[in-house]
Amino acid sequence: MTKKKHRILLAASCLLLVPCVSLSQTQPSSSAPAAITMQQAVDIARMKNPNLLSSQQNLLSVKAQEIQAGVRANPYFGFTGSNVTLPAEGASNPYAYSLQVSRLFERGEKRRWRLDSARSTTAQTDAQYHLQEQQTVLSVRQAFTSFVIAKAAKKIADDNLADFRHELDIGRERYKAGDIAKLDFERLDLQLAQFETDESTAITNAQQASIQLQALLGYDRLRPDFDVIGDVVPPVVSDTMESLEQKALAARPDLHAAHLGVAVADANVKLAYANGTTDPTLEGEYDRSGTYNSAGFSLNIPIRIFDRNQGNKETSKYVAQASRFTELATRNQVFADVDQAWSGYINARVLSDRYNGHYLDEAKDVLDIAQFSYQHGGLALIDYLDALRESRSVTADALNAYSQTWMAIHQLSFATATEVIP
């Protein structure tokens, strides 16, 4: 087995991954589209994700309710006629026509508070839309990272399998020459199954990660040539937990939505009290009976003895108080989310740094020494196979540590509603 096998992960850690995996398992043609970055994936999702597009239409529908909230009461027009077939003169009951125009006048500034409630509801819905957008961005980033890590694992599995097959060819020649026993060669050959399994698993993981990411980007058809490009080793977050908490308080859409929920509830309290006021209806009337004309008016004022909207007034007050507790709970949750995400990042970062700065190099040295000793008769086959298994395990654990650190960074970005990556 060549020495370059376990340097692949370290090289991938320093360079951007070259596109190497496609769903068709073929090399992309020269006309294949370029691999996209994480930011490009996020931008595509914002434009094409069907769930976000649906929420945008819902936001527009809520905003349209502002128009309805601002309309005024329509006037009423009435026209009646009687005895229209009788002559105007000489009849005891001559023809008569009556024309009425009436309109209800709202009191208590009902229209103002309806508009205030509708506008606050629109602002709250807009904040909720941005929360959904933030959740979608988190899912895209997680799926993108899974695809990048899966591609790195696929590359390592391919190279490991190729190198071990070369090692097995050498073992076969040694067996034919009588340098190793049949049992040792067969045990070496059995190890090939594990490398083939690793490759098969890596292919499946890469395909599934690609499909998941494409679904989030809103692609209606699977693209076999779809590819991404990104770093395997995560960057260092330069912010402190305290600064991230302050950023979250300023940017979190759910906290903003909770604050606007208080505004909606307060407007509904004022509207409930306004709806308890009496709205008079003024009517003007013109009458013509035979050759006589007359005009009149009427004023109708409901006497609100029993129904003064008492129940809705009380309900709105309790809802307003509940919304304030909701805002407080959301604020507390912001701190909890940031602190938990920060804790996850710190622990994941420590582990990935250990692999990147120590364990990978050590595993490579151990395998190189074991390989050299085995090839020169200084190490038993069982010990060499143990070194192989340990090297594969360390490499897989390193990729998992990188993945966990990336996921913690994405969770930090979500918890703060900001870009924490430098």
Side-chain angles (χ1 to χ4, degrees):
M1 188 178 296
T2 63
K3 294 183 179 181
K4 69 176 182 179
K5 183 178 75 168
H6 290 277
R7 294 193 181 98
I8 294 171
L9 184 58
L10 292 177
S13 303
C14 302
L15 301 175
L16 292 177
L17 290 175
V18 177
C20 60
V21 179
S22 67
L23 295 179
S24 61
Q25 303 180 35
T26 60
Q27 292 295 330
S29 64
S30 58
S31 61
I36 63 174
T37 64
M38 183 183 296
Q39 187 56 51
Q40 289 173 328
V42 169
D43 293 340
I44 293 172
R46 284 194 171 109
M47 292 186 298
K48 296 184 177 181
N49 182 275
N51 291 326
L52 284 183
L53 294 177
S54 175
S55 296
Q56 289 174 4
Q57 297 304 308
N58 178 66
L59 175 59
L60 293 175
S61 71
V62 172
K63 185 172 179 59
Q65 289 300 307
E66 295 180 22
I67 301 174
Q68 188 62 34
V71 299
R72 302 178 187 275
N74 290 318
Y76 287 87
F77 173 80
F79 180 73
T80 60
S82 62
N83 299 328
V84 295
T85 60
L86 297 178
E89 301 291 343
S92 59
N93 293 311
Y95 63 80
Y97 297 96
S98 178
L99 186 71
Q100 305 95 22
V101 177
S102 64
R103 182 177 176 234
L104 180 141
F105 290 88
E106 292 183 325
R107 297 175 62 248
E109 299 185 287
K110 293 182 178 66
R111 179 174 179 272
R112 172 186 174 183
W113 302 126
R114 283 200 306 270
L115 276 171
D116 192 15
S117 177
R119 288 165 180 165
S120 298
T121 301
T122 299
Q124 183 185 32
T125 305
D126 181 68
Q128 292 168 343
Y129 164 74
H130 283 91
L131 175 60
Q132 182 177 355
E133 181 184 47
Q134 184 187 2
Q135 292 170 336
T136 301
V137 168
L138 172 63
S139 298
V140 169
R141 286 172 174 163
Q142 290 174 334
F144 185 96
T145 296
S146 296
F147 193 15
V148 169
I149 296 297
K151 285 178 56 179
K154 169 70 166 56
K155 183 70 167 64
I156 293 171
D158 288 343
D159 292 341
N160 283 349
L161 180 59
D163 288 347
F164 190 79
R165 280 174 174 165
H166 178 67
E167 181 75 15
L168 190 61
D169 290 339
I170 295 176
R172 183 177 291 104
E173 295 301 321
R174 292 180 62 190
Y175 167 64
K176 291 179 180 179
D179 190 33
I180 60 174
K182 178 181 179 181
L183 177 61
D184 287 345
F185 172 72
E186 289 181 344
R187 294 182 68 179
L188 195 65
D189 186 52
L190 286 175
Q191 191 66 26
L192 180 64
Q194 188 59 58
F195 285 98
E196 291 174 337
T197 300
D198 290 347
E199 184 190 45
S200 178
T201 301
I203 291 173
T204 300
N205 291 340
Q207 291 175 343
Q208 292 177 345
S210 175
I211 294 170
Q212 177 64 24
L213 180 56
Q214 291 186 63
L216 289 170
L217 298 187
Y219 293 164
D220 56 351
R221 289 289 184 273
L222 189 63
R223 301 185 180 183
D225 54 1
F226 176 77
D227 209 347
V228 298
I229 184 169
D231 289 320
V232 174
V233 177
V236 177
V237 175
S238 57
D239 285 302
T240 64
M241 185 176 70
E242 290 74 17
S243 67
L244 291 173
E245 288 175 343
Q246 295 305 312
K247 289 181 179 180
L249 289 176
R252 280 277 290 258
D254 55 340
L255 182 58
H256 187 47
H259 176 71
L260 291 170
V262 174
V264 172
D266 288 343
N268 287 336
V269 170
K270 296 174 182 177
L271 180 59
Y273 274 86
N275 287 334
T277 60
T278 299
D279 296 331
T281 301
L282 180 63
E283 178 181 297
E285 181 176 345
Y286 165 75
D287 298 301
R288 180 176 177 83
S289 178
T291 59
Y292 298 96
N293 299 313
S294 65
F297 71 91
S298 65
L299 179 65
N300 297 315
I301 301 177
I303 302 176
R304 306 196 71 166
I305 298 176
F306 305 109
D307 179 9
R308 298 187 302 275
N309 209 36
Q310 305 97 309
N312 290 331
K313 291 177 183 177
E314 290 298 306
T315 299
S316 64
K317 288 192 295 185
Y318 289 123
V319 170
Q321 188 61 31
S323 67
R324 285 172 169 80
F325 286 119
T326 299
E327 182 185 22
L328 178 60
T330 305
R331 181 183 176 86
N332 294 339
Q333 189 62 46
V334 168
F335 285 104
D337 290 346
V338 173
D339 293 353
Q340 289 177 354
W342 180 259
S343 175
Y345 166 73
I346 291 298
N347 293 326
R349 182 75 207 184
V350 169
L351 186 59
S352 64
D353 285 346
R354 287 173 180 169
Y355 279 102
N356 196 37
H358 176 64
Y359 292 133
L360 283 173
D361 289 337
E362 191 172 62
K364 183 183 75 68
D365 291 340
V366 168
L367 183 60
D368 288 345
I369 294 172
Q371 180 186 23
F372 179 83
S373 299
Y374 171 70
Q375 291 178 349
H376 292 80
L379 188 70
L381 176 63
I382 186 64
D383 295 325
Y384 174 54
L385 295 179
D386 285 341
L388 278 175
R389 283 190 288 269
E390 290 173 359
S391 178
R392 286 175 39 252
S393 176
V394 168
T395 302
D397 290 343
L399 276 179
N400 183 62
Y402 293 155
S403 176
Q404 292 302 316
T405 305
W406 268 114
M407 296 302 177
I409 290 175
H410 299 330
Q411 194 64 40
L412 265 179
S413 296
F414 175 75
T416 59
T418 59
E419 300 287 344
V420 301
I421 300 175

